[in-house]
Amino acid sequence: MASLAQQFCGLRRSPLSTTRLSKRYINPTRQTQKPSSVRTVSAVAINNAETRERLKLKEMFEEAYERCLSAPMEGVSFTLEDFHSALENYDFNAEIGTKVKGMVYNIDANGALVDISAKSAAYLPVREACIHDIRHVEEAGIFPGLQEEFVIIDENEYDDSLTLSLRSLQYDLSWERCRQLQAEDVVVKGKVSGANKGGIVALVEGLNGFVPFSQISSKSAAEELFNKELPLKFVEVDEEQSRLVLSNRKAMADSQAQLGIGSVVVGTVQSLKPYGAFIDIGGMNGLLHVSQISHDRVSDIATVLQPGDTLKVMILSHDRERGRVSLSTKKLEPTPGDMIRNPKLVFEKAEEMAQSFRQRIAQAEAMARADMLRFQPESGLTFTADGILGPLTTDLPAEGLDMSDILPAEDLDDDIPPAEEDL
């Protein structure tokens, strides 16, 4: 049948070889066993290396541990005594009231963080950053990098943090400054910040001082003085009792003593009245009567002056008992009517015109005294040609003195301030 099938299909095939089948089965088996043995050897080698490394580290740690127990300072030049000495040098005193130096390294809306070389940072609240009321520490010139001296005012027991203050140190300096100014008996400026039933409160050198109503020279109400600056003198400076008492009356007395007839001062228009303008001259009010504004007639004061205007005025008279001062710009005019047409020129020439006025007044007084002495020769005194009072001599000319420089009577009347009942 095989021959018939072969003849019918025309196919020929060689018999199967057992050798070829065996070879194909054996070779794959050998190829898969060889890589497996290589991986096993590598894993054993790695495990042995890690074990040796661990053992080596273990021996090192055990050796170090034994050395720490037996000789902890062996080979170390920095001894335990040196360590305690270093701690004493850097020992930080955190007691309240201690002054410390520090550097600001961060600021926020509520204050600033300060490095004072302590174990924790210290904090400077905004309320303790300045003696004045501020909303942010930057207003007091506090920025990161600022090195300053602070004082410890509080300690938090929970986290050992410290609270610092600059305000306390500034208060100490302000009290010292007030004591110095009191010893020198000087006049200072104080801004009115409040009032009570007994007087007003004025801010001086960052401190709130009390000015009794009896020590205020003007009759202004406390509300009218609010936010105004007044000249003040120290009456009592007691830091322990926190008492700072001031006087405006004493300061005004000193200022008034320096006011001379014919002197030029700078003032500010406070208010206008139909009869004149009230001028503030260093905390004291003076009256510039409408007739003393200009040689030309002034029908409406508001056309020449306004409240708040700054101007130069000359003192005509000063009643120290009543505290009244009469002023003039009329006497400062280079030509009549300049105060209306060109007030700037009047202020530029003020000192020059005032000097001329004083000379005329002095000459008039000298001539008046000379005339009196002419009719009283028994006094034995007279004026020389230079205006010097001396023994009676023949220096007085027989024809009399030259009175041509003396102002006419009507001009001299202008120098007389208006009577109170006329105002």
Side-chain angles (χ1 to χ4, degrees):
M1 290 180 65
S3 300
L4 180 61
Q6 291 177 359
Q7 293 176 4
F8 180 78
C9 297
L11 297 175
R12 292 179 180 270
R13 184 175 182 84
S14 59
L16 292 175
S17 173
T18 55
T19 305
R20 291 174 61 189
L21 291 176
S22 301
K23 185 177 182 180
R24 288 179 182 178
Y25 176 77
I26 294 173
N27 287 343
T29 305
R30 292 180 180 176
Q31 291 176 359
T32 55
Q33 288 179 352
K34 186 176 181 180
S36 176
S37 62
V38 172
R39 283 199 300 269
T40 303
V41 173
S42 300
V44 173
I46 292 173
N47 290 334
N48 291 337
E50 291 180 352
T51 302
R52 288 195 298 270
E53 187 68 23
R54 290 194 185 100
L55 292 174
K56 183 178 180 180
L57 291 174
K58 182 180 178 182
E59 292 176 357
M60 290 175 60
F61 281 118
E62 290 178 350
E63 181 182 355
Y65 178 74
E66 292 294 334
R67 189 167 58 249
C68 289
L69 294 178
S70 59
M73 301 303 296
E74 182 180 356
V76 179
S77 57
F78 191 76
T79 63
L80 186 60
E81 290 75 12
D82 295 335
F83 177 73
H84 289 303
S85 177
L87 287 179
E88 293 177 358
N89 293 335
Y90 292 93
D91 187 20
F92 186 80
N93 185 4
E95 294 183 359
I96 295 177
T98 303
K99 295 180 181 180
V100 294
K101 291 184 179 180
M103 183 180 71
V104 177
Y105 68 89
N106 188 29
I107 60 175
D108 55 31
N110 299 318
L113 286 169
V114 184
D115 180 12
I116 56 173
S117 301
K119 60 183 177 180
S120 60
Y123 194 70
L124 175 69
V126 64
R127 67 179 181 276
E128 294 294 336
C130 184
I131 195 173
H132 302 288
D133 292 333
I134 58 175
R135 295 184 177 181
H136 198 277
V137 293
E138 290 180 341
E139 298 177 29
I142 298 175
F143 297 92
L146 174 69
Q147 296 185 4
E148 190 60 82
E149 185 178 51
F150 305 85
V151 61
I152 300 174
I153 61 172
D154 194 16
E155 181 179 5
N156 192 326
E157 297 180 356
Y158 296 101
D159 58 2
D160 294 333
S161 61
L162 301 174
T163 303
L164 305 179
S165 175
L166 285 173
R167 185 167 171 260
S168 298
L169 297 177
Q170 293 172 0
Y171 266 122
D172 294 340
L173 293 175
S174 294
W175 280 107
E176 180 62 30
R177 177 63 176 163
C178 288
R179 285 191 291 268
Q180 180 182 358
L181 293 173
Q182 182 189 30
E184 296 174 358
D185 196 31
V186 298
V187 177
V188 298
K189 290 286 186 179
K191 187 174 183 179
V192 179
S193 59
N196 53 38
K197 63 180 181 180
I200 61 175
V201 178
L203 191 64
V204 178
E205 296 293 329
L207 302 175
N208 286 322
F210 179 68
V211 186
F213 284 126
S214 61
Q215 293 298 320
I216 300 176
S217 60
S218 67
K219 297 181 180 180
S220 302
E223 294 78 11
E224 298 176 359
L225 297 175
F226 186 72
N227 278 337
K228 290 186 176 180
E229 286 191 345
L230 299 178
L232 301 169
K233 269 196 155 187
F234 292 94
V235 176
E236 182 181 358
V237 180
D238 189 345
E239 183 179 1
E240 293 183 359
Q241 300 296 328
S242 296
R243 285 177 56 85
L244 184 63
V245 184
L246 306 156
S247 172
N248 171 248
R249 189 177 295 277
K250 287 186 176 183
M252 295 306 301
D254 283 2
S255 300
Q256 293 173 5
Q258 299 174 1
L259 297 178
I261 306 302
S263 59
V264 177
V265 294
V266 177
T268 304
V269 178
Q270 294 296 310
S271 60
L272 301 179
K273 302 294 181 182
Y275 51 83
F278 284 96
I279 313 297
D280 178 16
I281 49 174
M284 180 170 52
N285 281 332
L287 175 64
L288 177 60
H289 195 270
V290 63
S291 64
Q292 288 296 327
I293 294 177
S294 175
H295 284 85
D296 290 355
R297 180 178 177 81
V298 178
S299 57
D300 185 5
I301 301 177
T303 60
V304 183
L305 300 174
Q306 288 293 325
D309 289 350
T310 300
L311 71 166
K312 289 184 178 180
V313 293
M314 189 179 72
I315 297 176
L316 286 182
S317 66
H318 181 200
D319 187 346
R320 289 181 173 82
E321 293 182 359
R322 294 184 177 184
R324 294 176 179 174
V325 181
S326 296
L327 308 172
S328 175
T329 54
K330 175 181 178 178
K331 302 303 180 184
L332 302 178
E333 289 182 322
T335 57
D338 281 344
M339 190 61 196
I340 299 175
R341 295 186 300 270
N342 190 3
K344 184 178 179 181
L345 177 63
V346 176
F347 302 149
E348 290 177 354
K349 298 286 186 179
E351 284 75 13
E352 181 181 341
M353 297 302 298
Q355 178 66 21
S356 176
F357 174 82
R358 290 192 295 268
Q359 290 176 352
R360 293 198 304 270
I361 295 297
Q363 188 176 11
E365 292 177 349
M367 295 303 102
R369 288 194 297 268
D371 283 345
M372 292 178 61
L373 292 174
R374 286 181 62 186
F375 295 104
Q376 297 178 358
E378 64 276 7
S379 66
L381 298 175
T382 186
F383 279 91
T384 66
D386 297 329
I388 301 175
L389 184 65
L392 183 61
T393 64
T394 58
D395 292 342
L396 191 64
E399 63 275 10
L401 298 173
D402 183 8
M403 306 293 288
S404 60
D405 292 335
I406 304 301
L407 294 174
E410 56 269 23
D411 288 344
L412 289 175
D413 290 340
D414 291 339
D415 298 336
I416 302 174
E420 181 182 0
E421 50 270 11
D422 296 337
L423 300 180

